[in-house]
């Protein structure tokens, strides 16, 4: 929580120095519409993530089974950990800096910059340096596509609730429910000897994460919200 507090203070300073605005311009005050946007994002991305991981498990010829050693309080701590992680990254990449960039260079360039920074950031968080150009490019495109989607959600809704819901929905399902993350075995774990995905299968799941999901969310945001720089 200390890191989140520091980011909030830094965000307020940036907003005041560059725009003479307060944190409220980031849409942090809850209301019915914003909570609905958070919930929709959470449900959609949770579903998309489940399709991704369960689909891969099918082609890998493995299955998920309940981990009975994973207790309620561990699950609760996992949910809280993933929420804090999503909030921290949203405040950095879809907060004050993105708000200022949208005012300066427009929505598209601002979102591209945010997506690029998000992709590069994951080279460090995933410790990708020294693993080769292909894995680094893969991680950059994968996380950069998510970064675009989250940034565009912020730009269209003028609130952090929608991108936070999208981000949290993905990582809480992958990490807390399906054990695909840094917290290790969680609610469900894989069973069986996994085989490698074929080239076409890898391409399908790569496109699912980098093109189809961001494309669907972007299309929905364009149809649902009209952008204004005010």
């Amino acid at each position: 929580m200390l890191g989140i507090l520091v980011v909030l203070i830094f965000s307020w300073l940036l907003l005041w120095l560059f725009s003479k605005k307060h944190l409220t311009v980031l849409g942090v005050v809850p209301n019915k519409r914003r909570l609905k946007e958070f919930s929709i994002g959470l449900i959609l991305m949770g579903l998309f993530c489940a399709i991704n991981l369960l689909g891969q498990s099918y082609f890998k010829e493995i299955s998920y089974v309940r981990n009975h050693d994973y207790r309620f309080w561990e699950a609760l701590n996992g949910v809280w950990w993933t929420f804090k992680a999503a909030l921290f990254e949203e405040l950095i990449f879809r907060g004050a800096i993105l708000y200022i960039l949208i005012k300066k260079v427009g929505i598209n360039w601002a979102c591209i910059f945010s997506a690029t920074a998000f992709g590069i950031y994951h080279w460090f968080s995933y410790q990708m340096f020294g693993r080769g150009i292909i894995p680094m490019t893969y991680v950059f495109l994968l996380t950069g596509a998510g970064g675009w989607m989250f940034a565009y959600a912020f730009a269209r809704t003028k609130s952090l609730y929608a991108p936070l819901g999208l981000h949290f929905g993905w990582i809480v399902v992958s990490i807390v429910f399906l054990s695909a993350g840094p917290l290790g075995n969680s609610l469900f774990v894989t069973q069986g000897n996994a085989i490698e995905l074929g080239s076409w299968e890898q391409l399908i799941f790569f496109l699912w994460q980098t093109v189809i999901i961001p494309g669907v969310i972007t299309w929905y945001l364009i149809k649902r919200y009209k952008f204004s720089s005010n």
Side-chain angles (χ1 to χ4, degrees):
M1 288 299 293
L2 179 60
I4 292 174
L5 180 61
V6 170
V7 173
L8 283 171
I9 294 171
F10 185 66
S11 298
W12 177 82
L13 288 172
L14 282 177
L15 288 169
W16 185 251
L17 286 172
F18 287 94
S19 302
K20 294 296 185 288
K21 301 288 186 180
H22 296 287
L23 286 172
T24 51
V25 298
L26 303 181
V28 294
V29 179
N31 58 38
K32 185 177 180 180
R33 178 180 67 83
R34 290 169 181 169
L35 292 174
K36 181 179 178 181
E37 290 166 349
F38 174 85
S39 300
I40 291 173
L42 174 67
I43 293 169
L44 280 178
M45 287 300 284
L47 178 62
F48 287 148
C49 180
I51 291 172
N52 178 61
L53 291 175
L54 293 176
Q56 289 191 45
S57 72
Y58 173 80
F59 287 106
K60 290 180 179 179
E61 299 183 4
I62 55 176
S63 58
Y64 280 94
V65 295
R66 177 72 167 87
N67 178 14
H68 294 287
D69 294 328
Y70 195 65
R71 304 301 181 185
F72 173 78
W73 288 110
E74 291 179 287
L76 197 61
N77 287 331
V79 170
W80 179 234
W81 186 92
T82 51
F83 181 80
K84 289 189 295 181
L87 178 59
F88 181 77
E89 292 183 356
E90 290 309 306
L91 285 170
I92 293 176
F93 293 99
R94 267 72 63 177
I97 295 175
L98 180 57
Y99 175 87
I100 294 167
L101 282 173
I102 290 171
K103 300 295 183 182
K104 300 294 185 182
V105 301
I107 178 174
N108 290 331
W109 282 111
C111 291
I112 289 171
F113 178 86
S114 178
T116 302
F118 197 58
I120 293 172
Y121 160 78
H122 280 87
W123 284 344
F124 294 90
S125 63
Y126 289 178
Q127 300 179 346
M128 295 304 300
F129 291 99
R131 297 191 182 185
I133 188 65
I134 293 178
M136 290 181 71
T137 302
Y138 177 83
V139 166
F140 176 80
L141 293 175
L142 209 65
T143 56
W148 162 271
M149 177 172 48
F150 303 150
Y152 202 73
F154 171 81
R156 286 283 175 171
T157 64
K158 300 181 177 62
S159 167
L160 281 167
Y161 281 82
L164 178 60
L166 292 166
H167 195 167
F168 178 54
W170 184 276
I171 65 173
V172 75
V173 169
S174 64
I175 293 175
V176 178
F177 284 87
L178 299 178
S179 304
L183 299 185
N185 291 339
S186 55
L187 195 59
F188 292 92
V189 294
T190 56
Q191 177 179 263
N193 296 318
I195 63 173
E196 292 291 330
L197 291 176
S199 298
W200 282 106
E201 293 159 355
Q202 291 181 32
L203 178 61
I204 288 170
F205 287 108
F206 176 75
L207 293 176
W208 172 252
Q209 296 175 78
T210 58
V211 177
I212 298 173
I213 296 175
V216 168
I217 297 299
T218 301
W219 173 83
Y220 171 79
L221 291 166
I222 291 172
K223 293 293 184 181
R224 178 68 176 80
Y225 300 93
K226 293 185 181 297
F227 176 73
S228 169
S229 60
N230 295 326

